[in-house]
Amino acid sequence: MRPTFSGLHPLNVQKYDNTPTSWDFGSDVGVVLLLPKGEKNAIDKSPWAATVKSALARYPENENPVFLSSSEAGRVAAVFVPEKMQPFKALTLARKAIGPLISERFVGINVISLIGDCESGSRMAEAILAAAYADLFQLPRVSGKSVEPKKLDSISFFGPFESADFGYVEATAEGNNLARWLTHLPGNYLTPGIYRDFAENLAKEEGWRATFFDRDKLEELGAGAFLSVVEASPVRDAGILHLQYRPAGAKGKPFALVGKGICFDTGGSNLKVGGGMLGMHGDMQGSAVALGAFLAMTRLGFDQPVDCWLALAENHIGSRAVKCNDVITALDGTTIELINTDAEGRMVLSDTLALASREKPRVIIDYATLTGAVVAALGQRMAGAITNRREWIEPIIQAGERCGERVWPFPYEEDYDEDLESKVADTLQCRTTGAGDHIYAARLLGRFVDKDIGWVHVDMASSGTHTGGLGHIPTDLQGFGVRFGVEWLRKVADE
């Protein structure tokens, strides 16, 4: 039994300018009641004024949302919305409000806004719909037992939601669902070969061009950095998949998304020990996010060309595995002295970035669950970013804040290269000891990006997983980065 990607849960989404005259919705409909924070009298405009006021009096002021019972609806989530709430907080609040209503298996949910500010109400409406799509999505299971699907059929929005962009929500939600679905698949259900077949079939459905650089082609090109990782792989299915989105009439340089797709990581000769190998089927999450963002841009009808590069491989142990202090030659001729074969992500990405740079893209974003150092630096609530454009540091922060996927930049300074000097090669793969590995990894990767190309490296080891969910995503797996990728590419396109 092989799981199949289901896309978005089918929902009938309706938007109405006014609140309903009758609030007798029935026991199979849940209600989300949006109220302006600090304005208790706003509820006076509703038919439920007395009942809701009485019920809310029993709860502390800082409780948000508050769940209430009603004889005219299945259950009510009263949500207090601050003015100019940041998107991440809106998404978090939306998950807390919508999750319990979906769990109670209502067939419909009505979202009613008593907020006068259209912008705040619309932002909250987008967050609620995003949280609903994330909650309704079923992660893949390999089992003979069928999983009972969630029952929600419709969400209706009543009130001033004119500026709510539900098309954006649906596109990014489908991309996020794809990223989480791929990452959740067991390693034997998503080998590099299976991954390639899936992505190429998706390309046929979406009208993308697909080119695969297999091991024979990579050997011909001299992509020794990538090939060093797969020397011990028992199957020759690794390679770099290049997808191209070319909308009608699109001109100019493409935008490029790049993703680390290590479908399983043993650590190689530097074998992972203890529980270190557990969960390493998810080391391809960067590629899943790149593909999810690529799908979202397609769904949005982005009017400029976009490329997606997926580095698909497994890092095995075996008699042919490379060793510490081996020297390999990357695609662009750079020689690299291997220090730790468990730092394989930067090796496959080096040659993939070199290939992507040959196409002279306008901008590159690469995603990778790359280093433990970024987790030590940031915890597990936002991603780390490094860019070769100093002037992009504040815009990167702002882009993360606008889309609700927070990203924090780190330095990218040339003098860090002094710590990567090798006595036998052009560069060390990484340092032998010391902190800051996320910065040194970026310094290595930056060698393979043409200086004329704007580049953002997203180390999402600190954001790909968060126990109990984060933002609008209710699962441990976050699929983090789809929204940020869409936000960043659209920002650059508008410049």
Side-chain angles (χ1 to χ4, degrees):
M1 175 180 293
R2 188 166 298 281
T4 57
F5 177 59
S6 58
L8 289 178
H9 180 93
L11 269 182
N12 181 19
V13 180
Q14 298 290 337
K15 218 176 356 178
Y16 302 94
D17 293 338
N18 301 313
T19 57
T21 53
S22 171
W23 287 27
D24 188 0
F25 302 121
S27 60
D28 59 351
V29 175
V31 175
V32 177
L33 189 59
L34 302 181
L35 301 166
K37 189 172 184 179
E39 297 181 31
K40 295 182 179 179
N41 293 333
I43 195 65
D44 293 344
K45 303 173 185 176
S46 81
W48 291 350
T51 304
V52 172
K53 270 191 168 181
S54 174
L56 290 178
R58 301 194 298 270
Y59 292 87
E61 295 243 348
N62 62 348
E63 183 143 350
N64 192 18
V66 173
F67 291 93
L68 310 171
S69 298
S70 171
S71 60
E72 297 163 301
R75 200 178 188 200
V76 180
V79 179
F80 304 97
V81 182
E83 189 177 358
K84 297 181 180 178
M85 183 166 52
Q86 289 288 334
F88 174 77
K89 292 183 178 180
L91 291 165
T92 302
L93 186 55
R95 169 170 57 94
K96 293 177 179 179
I98 203 77
L101 300 185
I102 291 175
S103 295
E104 293 198 26
R105 308 183 76 78
F106 295 119
V107 297
I109 292 176
N110 289 343
V111 181
I112 303 173
S113 177
L114 299 180
I115 303 171
D117 177 21
C118 174
E119 182 181 346
S120 296
S122 295
R123 178 175 294 173
M124 202 63 215
E126 290 179 1
I128 288 169
L129 186 59
Y133 277 126
D135 192 292
L136 290 165
F137 182 66
Q138 301 282 350
L139 290 174
R141 285 181 57 84
V142 182
S143 173
K145 299 178 182 178
S146 60
V147 177
E148 183 68 23
K150 297 184 179 181
K151 294 293 187 183
L152 188 65
D153 294 329
S154 66
I155 299 183
S156 298
F157 293 86
F158 297 91
F161 297 122
E162 292 90 344
S163 60
D165 186 351
F166 289 163
Y168 163 82
V169 172
E170 290 174 354
T172 53
E174 187 174 4
N176 176 272
N177 287 353
L178 176 60
R180 286 189 292 147
W181 182 83
L182 286 167
T183 308
H184 191 71
L185 286 171
N188 58 329
Y189 280 76
L190 195 72
T191 63
I194 296 171
Y195 199 161
R196 173 193 173 184
D197 288 345
F198 171 82
E200 288 181 341
N201 286 331
L202 183 61
K204 291 177 183 177
E205 295 172 8
E206 300 297 331
W208 305 329
R209 301 176 195 167
T211 305
F212 187 67
F213 296 81
D214 61 15
R215 286 180 62 169
D216 290 340
K217 183 62 177 178
L218 293 175
E219 287 167 3
E220 179 186 326
L221 291 171
F226 184 102
L227 293 168
S228 71
V229 175
V230 301
E231 286 291 346
S233 294
V235 181
R236 290 179 62 89
D237 59 352
I240 298 172
L241 181 61
H242 179 203
L243 303 172
Q244 295 175 285
Y245 165 74
R246 296 293 185 268
K251 296 180 180 178
K253 297 179 179 180
F255 296 76
L257 297 158
V258 175
K260 170 189 169 185
I262 301 294
C263 296
F264 195 80
D265 179 21
T266 67
S269 295
N270 292 100
L271 191 67
K272 294 178 184 291
V273 297
M277 226 181 286
L278 189 65
M280 283 298 103
H281 65 290
D283 205 19
M284 37 58 64
Q285 188 169 178
S287 66
V289 169
L291 186 59
F294 191 63
L295 178 63
M297 296 301 287
T298 304
R299 289 283 181 270
L300 288 167
F302 191 55
D303 62 0
Q304 299 191 42
V306 185
D307 289 349
C308 183
W309 299 82
L310 307 179
L312 307 180
E314 290 178 324
N315 186 21
H316 282 279
I317 184 67
S319 61
R320 293 182 55 83
V322 293
K323 313 171 296 298
C324 298
N325 301 115
D326 284 358
V327 174
I328 61 89
T329 303
L331 188 146
D332 72 342
T334 300
T335 57
I336 304 171
E337 181 182 358
L338 300 181
I339 300 300
N340 185 346
T341 63
D342 197 18
E344 84 298 328
R346 66 199 75 185
M347 303 306 290
V348 298
L349 283 175
S350 292
D351 281 338
T352 307
L353 286 168
L355 270 180
S357 290
R358 288 183 174 185
E359 299 296 317
K360 305 299 182 185
R362 183 171 171 185
V363 65
I364 296 175
I365 306 177
D366 82 72
Y367 298 97
T369 49
L370 203 63
T371 68
V374 77
V375 181
L378 291 175
Q380 290 186 288
R381 290 183 173 270
M382 61 175 68
I386 293 179
T387 178
N388 62 354
R389 295 290 185 268
R390 178 65 177 80
E391 67 273 16
W392 279 359
I393 288 178
E394 184 59 33
I396 285 171
I397 295 171
Q398 294 172 357
E401 289 176 344
R402 283 195 304 273
C403 69
E405 288 186 331
R406 299 171 299 174
V407 177
W408 201 259
F410 289 92
Y412 185 69
E413 299 294 336
E414 288 184 4
D415 60 295
Y416 279 82
D417 293 345
E418 296 172 11
D419 300 324
L420 292 177
E421 291 180 356
S422 168
K423 295 179 180 179
V424 67
D426 294 329
T427 181
L428 298 176
Q429 172 200 28
C430 53
R431 297 179 75 193
T432 56
T433 59
D437 185 48
H438 53 309
I439 299 173
Y440 292 101
R443 287 303 307 177
L444 178 71
L445 295 179
R447 284 176 168 266
F448 302 94
V449 178
D450 191 298
K451 289 181 172 55
D452 293 333
I453 301 169
W455 167 58
V456 178
H457 163 62
V458 181
D459 190 338
M460 42 181 285
S462 57
S463 57
T465 304
H466 190 274
T467 303
L470 186 70
H472 61 301
I473 307 298
T475 56
D476 293 354
L477 282 177
Q478 290 294 293
F480 182 104
V482 171
R483 279 173 162 254
F484 176 78
V486 169
E487 182 69 30
W488 188 254
L489 294 190
R490 296 206 297 187
K491 175 208 173 294
V492 175
D494 289 340
E495 291 178 345

